[in-house]
């Protein structure tokens, strides 16, 4: 996963470099002294705070080998990335690379994305992971995959007569919930499911999203 992530980040950085970093042209056609090249610098606004150290280490190596300074700014944990991204966009120094958390957020930032369909890396990525599209055009490179699931208490399910292996659909999950709910007094439970709502973004992006 780490190797794949680094390859993904390398590709995204390279793409942005090709698209956004160009040298300034000479002011006159007959000038023999070219104007100094513009400073090559990229700003990355990262959502995944857990990969911040790896990104910064990669950015340092990238600057040494490619001569391009990459500024990594991460927002994660309890940070509201959506709100912070809007602030970054309005700061006058928009990030060159930022994270879009799926089709819903793409609708917000669709005027800020570029068509990446013709890039070489597209052929090297699993087509199932190239779902971020706008009008049929690929506009995002996958850098993270999130997993969803339910954690259950094996002892409680055993006492309730519910076999976890039998839960393979929404209907079987509903049947399991009803079976546990019917016996919750005997099982010493006040509720079948425990759901935290302390951080609303978790509820919105994860629980209610599915």
């Amino acid at each position: 996963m780490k190797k794949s992530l680094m390859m993904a980040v390398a590709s995204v950085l390279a793409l942005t470099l090709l698209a956004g970093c160009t040298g300034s042209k000479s002011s006159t056609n007959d000038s023999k002294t070219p104007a100094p090249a513009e400073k090559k610098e990229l700003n990355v606004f990262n959502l995944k705070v857990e990969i911040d150290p790896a990104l910064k280490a990669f950015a340092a190596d990238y600057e040494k080998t490619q001569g391009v300074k990459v500024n990594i700014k991460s927002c994660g944990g309890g940070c509201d990335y959506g709100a912070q991204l809007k602030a970054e966009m309005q700061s006058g120094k928009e990030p060159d690379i930022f994270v879009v958390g799926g089709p819903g957020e793409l609708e917000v930032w669709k005027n800020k994305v570029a068509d990446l369909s013709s890039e070489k890396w597209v052929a090297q990525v699993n087509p199932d992971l190239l779902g971020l599209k706008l009008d049929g055009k690929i506009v995002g490179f996958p850098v993270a995959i999130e997993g969803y699931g339910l954690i259950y208490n094996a002892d409680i399910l055993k006492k309730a007569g519910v076999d976890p292996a039998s839960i393979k659909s929404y209907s079987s999950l509903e049947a399991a919930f009803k079976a546990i709910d019917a016996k919750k007094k005997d099982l010493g439970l006040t509720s079948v499911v425990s759901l935290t709502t302390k951080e609303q973004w978790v509820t919105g992006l994860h629980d209610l999203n599915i």
Side-chain angles (χ1 to χ4, degrees):
M1 283 295 291
K2 290 182 180 178
K3 184 177 181 181
S4 298
L5 173 63
M6 296 312 291
M7 290 175 64
V9 174
S11 299
V12 175
L13 291 178
L15 290 172
T16 305
L17 170 62
L18 291 173
C21 296
T22 58
S24 59
K25 296 181 180 179
S26 173
S27 58
T28 60
N29 294 330
D30 59 351
S31 175
K32 295 181 179 180
T33 304
E38 294 179 4
K39 182 179 179 181
K40 295 180 179 179
E41 185 170 325
L42 293 173
N43 295 306
V44 180
F45 191 42
N46 169 45
L47 166 64
K48 309 292 289 184
V49 69
E50 61 269 28
I51 64 172
D52 179 75
L55 281 178
K56 288 179 177 176
F58 176 80
D61 289 340
Y62 193 79
E63 182 176 3
K64 291 179 182 177
T65 60
Q66 304 299 323
V68 180
K69 181 175 177 57
V70 182
N71 303 306
I72 306 292
K73 184 175 182 179
S74 297
C75 171
C79 171
D80 185 340
Y81 183 81
Q84 288 299 316
L85 179 56
K86 290 179 180 179
E88 292 290 322
M89 290 295 187
Q90 296 172 356
S91 68
K93 193 174 182 180
E94 298 182 0
D96 300 293
I97 300 173
F98 58 97
V99 179
V100 174
E105 291 184 17
L106 176 59
E107 184 63 25
V108 177
W109 301 111
K110 62 183 180 182
N111 294 326
K112 296 290 185 179
V113 298
D115 181 8
L116 307 175
S117 304
S118 61
E119 300 298 337
K120 293 181 179 180
W121 53 260
V122 171
Q124 302 172 344
V125 178
N126 185 329
D128 293 336
L129 300 180
L130 295 173
L132 198 65
K133 297 181 179 181
L134 184 64
D135 298 327
K137 300 175 182 178
I138 298 171
V139 295
F141 191 102
V143 294
I145 298 175
E146 300 286 351
Y148 297 98
L150 295 172
I151 300 173
Y152 63 88
N153 186 312
D155 290 336
I156 291 178
L157 265 63
K158 184 177 181 180
K159 292 177 182 177
V162 175
D163 179 9
S166 67
I167 303 175
K168 299 180 179 180
S169 64
Y170 279 110
S171 58
S172 58
L173 179 64
E174 182 180 13
F177 277 21
K178 289 181 177 180
I180 298 171
D181 186 63
K183 301 176 182 179
K184 65 182 180 183
K185 184 176 181 180
D186 296 332
L187 296 171
L189 303 176
T190 56
S191 178
V192 178
V193 178
S194 174
L195 174 65
T196 177
T197 56
K198 182 178 180 180
E199 294 181 327
Q200 294 182 353
W201 69 270
V202 175
T203 308
L205 291 181
H206 295 269
D207 303 319
L208 301 182
N209 193 41
I210 57 173

